[in-house]
């Protein structure tokens, strides 16, 4: 999310000079769809229902202590459910990893899906990543392995994986969930990857050769430092102008949907103590679950015939990110590929449109056996 400003800083003569001298529970027989590709023909020229999310309140909010190494990290999550005597089936919704990641991204989708009438009763859990959103933000060495460890622990301890768990993830979160499923560390009955990504902002622009890795490490060190790091973080991420600019340029597809309320909400998250540690790792590629498109496609291919996987691509994603999403069209292991309006946060910007595709996916894979 801080990519534009980061590239400017990263390309500056000061950083270049420093870098140069230092030389970033349904059974496994669940019905699987044959790969199909669908394009949603929707008009998104006017503001979406994103503002309606303000009225949605979770049924329950909770805090869970994730014990990692010698630390107990407070994890925020919330539950959305209907009043029903029918035992619910469980959806875990995971926010996109970014500078301003938050459970708020998924609330509109949760409200929409739970408000639909169908054969099944669904409940949704939305969880904040450690170091992001409303979870605590300790200083630690965040990388893709740490995030995968967290996700596996949360699913196994909180989500009752022996039941019919479905995972919806955005961006890097989707790819980390796919990676954990490939390793059989988690066993969801289905996965939906919404605008899936695998490369952080700087690696996707500048690549990953050894020289660039040295520079990423330097930038990461600066961002984690108490004095200069906080100043740079405030310039890159923690200011309302930067957040608004990022949302209008590539996070949302329609600038009219970037409201002052959204900007203020995200800005507040960036002002909390420790809020810069995960963005420093994300920006420089430490949270990337794979290192190449080939590895990205292989993750999905390894789930062929195991579980249904939906990929939701977007019309307005940045060019490089969109190319990675499009590479999944008709790829092995992808049961269904659809395209919707939006950019990197379609589930927040156009919740009803994304919810429509996700609900169809649930119907196609679960209601036939209900």
């Amino acid at each position: 999310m801080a990519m534009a400003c980061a590239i400017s800083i990263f390309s500056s003569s000061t950083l270049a000079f420093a870098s140069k001298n230092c030389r970033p529970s349904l059974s496994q027989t669940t019905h699987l769809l044959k790969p199909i590709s669908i394009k949603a023909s929707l008009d998104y020229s006017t503001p979406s229902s994103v503002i309606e999310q303000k009225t949605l309140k979770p049924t329950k909010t909770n805090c869970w202590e994730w014990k990692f190494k010698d630390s107990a990290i407070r994890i925020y999550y919330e539950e959305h459910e209907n009043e029903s005597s029918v035992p619910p089936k469980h959806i875990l919704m995971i926010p996109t990893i970014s500078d301003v990641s938050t459970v708020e991204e998924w609330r509109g989708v949760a409200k929409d899906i739970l408000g639909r009438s169908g054969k099944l009763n669904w409940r949704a859990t939305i969880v904040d990543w450690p170091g992001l959103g409303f979870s605590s933000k300790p200083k630690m060495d965040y990388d893709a392995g740490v995030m995968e460890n967290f996700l596996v622990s949360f699913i196994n301890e909180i989500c009752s994986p022996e039941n019919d768990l479905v995972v919806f993830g955005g961006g890097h979160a989707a790819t980390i969930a796919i990676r954990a499923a490939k390793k059989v560390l988690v066993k969801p009955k289905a996965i939906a990857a919404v605008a899936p990504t695998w490369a952080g902002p700087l690696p996707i622009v500048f690549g990953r050769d050894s020289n660039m890795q040295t520079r990423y490490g330097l930038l990461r060190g600066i961002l984690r430092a108490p004095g200069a790091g906080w100043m740079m973080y405030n310039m890159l991420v923690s200011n309302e102008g930067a957040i608004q600019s990022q949302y209008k340029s590539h996070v949302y597809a329609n600038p009219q949907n970037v409201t002052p309320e959204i900007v203020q909400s995200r800005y507040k998250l960036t002002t909390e103590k420790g809020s810069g540690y995960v963005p420093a790792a994300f920006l420089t590629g430490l949270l990337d679950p794979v290192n190449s498109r080939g590895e990205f496609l292989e993750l999905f291919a390894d789930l062929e015939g195991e579980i249904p996987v939906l990929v939701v691509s977007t019309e307005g994603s940045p060019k490089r990110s969109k190319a990675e999403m499009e590479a999944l069209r008709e790829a092995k292991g992808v049961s269904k590929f659809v395209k919707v309006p939006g950019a990197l946060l379609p589930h927040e910007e156009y919740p009803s449109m994304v919810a429509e595709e996700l609900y169809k996916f649930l119907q196609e894979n679960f209601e036939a056996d209900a």
Side-chain angles (χ1 to χ4, degrees):
M1 303 267 276
M3 182 172 64
C5 288
I7 290 174
S8 175
I9 297 298
F10 193 69
S11 302
S12 70
S13 58
T14 301
L15 184 54
F17 176 80
S19 299
K20 183 176 180 181
N21 282 280
C22 290
R23 291 278 200 248
S25 164
L26 289 186
S27 68
Q28 287 301 103
T29 59
T30 300
H31 175 64
L32 299 178
L33 295 172
K34 292 182 179 180
I36 58 176
S37 177
I38 298 175
K39 182 174 181 179
S41 298
L42 299 166
D43 178 11
Y44 58 106
S45 58
T46 57
S48 72
S49 60
V50 65
I51 298 175
E52 294 176 8
Q53 295 179 48
K54 292 188 299 181
T55 63
L56 176 65
K57 300 295 183 183
T59 306
K60 251 190 281 186
T61 61
N62 299 279
C63 285
W64 169 64
E65 279 200 348
W66 175 45
K67 293 179 173 55
F68 180 70
K69 295 185 176 179
D70 297 326
S71 301
I73 302 170
R74 182 183 59 80
I75 300 298
Y76 172 87
Y77 69 99
E78 54 189 47
E79 297 171 293
H80 300 262
E81 56 188 2
N82 294 311
E83 292 184 6
S84 175
S85 58
V86 178
K89 295 188 182 297
H90 196 168
I91 305 169
L92 173 63
M93 300 180 176
I94 320 169
T96 302
I97 294 177
S98 72
D99 309 327
V100 291
S101 172
T102 168
V103 292
E104 295 173 9
E105 295 173 17
W106 280 106
R107 286 178 181 167
V109 172
K111 177 183 179 181
D112 188 299
I113 289 177
L114 269 62
R116 293 173 182 252
S117 298
K119 295 181 181 179
L120 300 175
N121 177 30
W122 293 97
R123 67 188 294 265
T125 296
I126 317 175
V127 62
D128 267 328
W129 292 97
L132 293 170
F134 302 108
S135 291
S136 62
K137 302 169 176 62
K139 184 176 183 178
M140 53 189 281
D141 294 324
Y142 295 95
D143 60 22
V146 169
M147 294 312 209
E148 181 182 86
N149 183 304
F150 158 73
L151 181 61
V152 170
S153 298
F154 185 82
I155 287 175
N156 288 334
E157 293 194 32
I158 302 298
C159 293
S160 303
E162 69 276 3
N163 295 329
D164 301 330
L165 178 65
V166 179
V167 176
F168 293 168
H172 272 45
T175 310
I176 290 173
I178 293 282
R179 192 175 85 162
K182 171 190 172 178
K183 296 178 181 178
V184 200
L185 298 174
V186 294
K187 298 179 180 180
K189 306 308 179 188
I191 297 177
V194 178
T197 56
W198 61 267
L202 291 179
I204 202 171
V205 174
F206 296 111
R208 302 174 172 276
D209 63 36
S210 59
N211 183 49
M212 295 311 302
Q213 292 290 5
T214 299
R215 296 186 181 200
Y216 300 155
L218 173 63
L219 178 59
R220 191 161 51 242
I222 293 173
L223 285 169
R224 289 172 60 90
W230 187 247
M231 291 175 61
M232 182 176 283
Y233 177 70
N234 285 340
M235 181 166 52
L236 296 178
V237 180
S238 188
N239 71 80
E240 294 173 66
I243 292 170
Q244 182 182 64
S245 175
Q246 300 303 322
Y247 265 76
K248 287 187 174 183
S249 66
H250 61 270
V251 178
Y252 276 17
N254 187 344
Q256 294 181 53
N257 288 334
V258 184
T259 65
E261 292 84 359
I262 288 174
V263 172
Q264 184 58 226
S265 169
R266 303 307 182 262
Y267 168 68
K268 186 176 180 181
L269 293 175
T270 70
T271 62
E272 298 174 5
K273 183 178 179 181
S275 57
Y277 298 132
V278 171
F282 172 66
L283 184 68
T284 56
L286 278 187
L287 302 188
D288 295 354
V290 294
N291 294 315
S292 69
R293 180 184 292 181
E295 291 181 19
F296 183 54
L297 295 176
E298 185 180 342
L299 289 183
F300 287 82
D302 286 343
L303 297 182
E304 178 79 12
E306 297 296 324
I307 61 174
V309 175
L310 167 68
V311 171
V312 180
S313 181
T314 57
E315 300 278 5
S317 290
K319 182 178 178 180
R320 291 180 177 89
S321 297
K322 188 174 183 178
E324 302 308 315
M325 297 177 204
E326 288 298 315
L328 293 168
R329 186 188 294 272
E330 299 183 6
K332 188 176 180 182
V334 176
S335 309
K336 185 178 182 182
F337 183 100
V338 301
K339 184 175 284 190
V340 298
L344 294 180
L345 283 184
H347 47 293
E348 179 177 76
E349 186 178 7
Y350 298 104
S352 61
M353 297 177 184
V354 173
E356 176 69 20
E357 297 299 338
L358 294 176
Y359 192 71
K360 287 178 184 176
F361 180 64
L362 295 174
Q363 288 180 306
E364 291 160 354
N365 288 281
F366 296 93
E367 288 202 356
D369 298 327

